[in-house]
Amino acid sequence: MLLEKLTSACGLPGFEDEVRDIIKAELERHADSIKVDRIGNVIVFKKGKKDSPHIALSAHMDEVGLCINGIERDGTLKFASWGVDSRILPSMHVLIGKDKIKGVIGNKPIHLQKEAEQKQVYGIDAMYIDIGCDSKEEAEKLVHKGDFVAFSSQFVAFGTNKVKAKALDDRVGCAAIIEIMKMDLPISVTGIFCVQEEIGLKGSAIAAQSLDADLVINIEGTICADMEGIEESKRVTTQGAGPCLSLMDMTSIYSKRYLEAIVKVAEDDKIPYQYRRTGMGATDAGRYHAGGAGTPCIGIAVPCRYIHSPVSVMHKNDYENLVKLIEAFIKKGAERVIG
């Protein structure tokens, strides 16, 4: 399964090579051109039966994780975080560097904690990664400062059409673009697979400077908290209710004209959809609509529970309906609205 292959790959910011290789292999027989720019973005172009309009689909390849920044005398490792809540880290299994050295994250055991310590949340500074070494010299033969640290988490299908995996943010977007670009398309489409989104939208800032498209559809795995005990207004999205459309976030106000056009396609084709009920967060769309000459954007996403963790959960129906909706818009709605 494509999504399993993508989420099983390790692709921390600046280390997206595994994901990039999968994308290139999947699309080499389906694209008119594939190039990798200087920062590492993959730009894939597929010429349609008509040259106009031209739509770009964008997703990011990188995932949240950690980075080694110290090796202790006892062989344990210190680390920094890329977008991870420190409260989820103790006892997590991790993979370090290109050789995927196995490790576990630990801190002081509860038996040795004072009463006051048991009531506090430990920060990253109090944690370490244990790779089974007894000395700094032994550890230095296996890992180095600057090595990425990815979660070790298997792709699991479970429950009622649900999937658990790491990096659903944003391998769902990568998978969707790959599926769409394998289709017979009536118009030209550029697929943009960005690097370093999780550390400040770095890859899309570069891609936006040379992009010449009429519209960017930014595809994401986004926040979902549709569990009991959480107020309806704070659930953001609901699993199984369809892909979600963004009105705005911290970097973008999405184009109303194109948003209304994709909603019309969804309603005409009876494809379920919902709105993302928060303005929090940021996506690569923020770079596209403000970069170069400025490109209109819409954002569409798959709701993912427990995002930015090794156990994100999505509903397969939401992903499948996201692909259907984008396909239908490209085939039926794009020419009508872009003209």
Side-chain angles (χ1 to χ4, degrees):
M1 182 180 181
L2 176 59
L3 192 56
E4 180 176 1
K5 186 188 301 185
L6 286 165
T7 56
S8 297
C10 295
L12 278 289
F15 299 92
E16 297 92 350
D17 307 69
E18 280 188 50
V19 185
R20 186 162 39 240
D21 288 346
I22 292 170
I23 292 165
K24 289 164 64 180
E26 288 286 334
L27 289 176
E28 62 183 355
R29 294 185 296 104
H30 301 275
D32 289 285
S33 68
I34 298 178
K35 70 175 183 178
V36 179
D37 66 17
R38 289 180 178 178
I39 199 171
N41 300 316
V42 182
I43 314 295
V44 183
F45 177 72
K46 182 168 185 173
K47 186 175 178 60
K49 296 172 184 175
K50 299 180 181 178
D51 292 330
S52 182
H54 174 201
I55 287 181
L57 307 177
S58 180
H60 65 90
M61 296 184 286
D62 61 316
E63 63 192 272
V64 299
L66 313 170
C67 179
I68 300 300
N69 63 7
I71 302 176
E72 304 291 86
R73 286 184 301 172
D74 63 359
T76 58
L77 313 177
K78 302 301 287 184
F79 57 90
S81 168
W82 282 323
V84 181
D85 183 345
S86 64
R87 291 172 294 183
I88 73 168
L89 291 175
S91 77
M92 287 294 175
H93 292 225
V94 295
L95 301 170
I96 304 167
K98 61 182 178 60
D99 294 327
K100 298 187 179 177
I101 302 301
K102 295 178 181 179
V104 294
I105 300 176
N107 61 357
K108 184 191 287 189
I110 193 170
H111 311 76
L112 302 181
Q113 294 174 16
K114 297 177 181 179
E115 184 176 352
E117 290 178 309
Q118 293 178 12
K119 296 177 181 178
Q120 72 184 43
V121 176
Y122 278 86
I124 283 175
D125 288 346
M127 300 178 200
Y128 51 84
I129 298 174
D130 190 335
I131 58 172
C133 292
D134 295 322
S135 69
K136 182 176 183 178
E137 292 73 23
E138 186 182 352
E140 286 178 332
K141 295 176 182 177
L142 300 173
V143 300
H144 305 88
K145 291 179 183 178
D147 280 348
F148 70 76
V149 183
F151 293 123
S152 179
S153 177
Q154 291 184 323
F155 180 97
V156 177
F158 72 111
T160 307
N161 225 17
K162 300 286 178 63
V163 162
K164 183 277 291 184
K166 72 172 181 65
L168 290 174
D169 171 19
D170 182 27
R171 305 291 159 70
V172 292
C174 294
I177 296 175
I178 290 169
E179 285 201 45
I180 291 162
M181 297 200 77
K182 289 180 178 179
M183 298 175 183
D184 185 22
L185 301 175
I187 60 174
S188 294
V189 173
T190 293
I192 309 172
F193 302 86
C194 291
V195 298
Q196 302 181 40
E197 188 267 0
E198 296 291 1
I199 57 168
L201 320 180
K202 308 296 187 187
S204 56
I206 303 303
Q209 302 312 310
S210 58
L211 178 64
D212 182 17
D214 299 297
L215 173 69
V216 174
I217 301 178
N218 195 71
I219 310 170
E220 272 281 6
T222 197
I223 308 163
C224 180
D226 59 345
M227 292 79 72
E228 289 297 322
I230 297 176
E231 296 175 35
E232 179 67 29
S233 62
K234 295 180 179 179
R235 295 184 178 191
V236 183
T237 58
T238 302
Q239 290 203 331
C244 58
L245 302 171
S246 291
L247 300 171
M248 63 178 292
D249 56 40
M250 294 176 68
T251 58
S252 304
I253 296 176
Y254 293 90
S255 171
K256 184 177 180 182
R257 174 186 173 190
Y258 297 109
L259 184 63
E260 289 175 345
I262 201 166
V263 166
K264 184 176 188 327
V265 169
E267 293 178 348
D268 287 349
D269 284 27
K270 296 181 171 51
I271 300 170
Y273 71 94
Q274 59 185 305
Y275 289 106
R276 184 177 182 269
R277 302 188 300 277
T278 183
M280 296 302 293
T283 75
D284 284 325
R287 299 298 192 191
Y288 293 119
H289 83 241
T295 307
C297 298
I298 54 177
I300 183 168
V302 173
C304 296
R305 292 176 180 167
Y306 328 122
I307 206 164
H308 281 205
S309 86
V311 292
S312 291
V313 173
M314 73 165 207
H315 199 301
K316 287 195 285 186
N317 288 4
D318 292 332
Y319 171 77
E320 290 165 2
N321 282 315
L322 177 142
V323 173
K324 286 180 184 177
L325 180 53
I326 297 173
E327 177 190 7
F329 179 75
I330 289 172
K331 291 182 175 179
K332 300 177 183 179
E335 287 186 272
R336 184 168 62 234
V337 67
I338 295 173

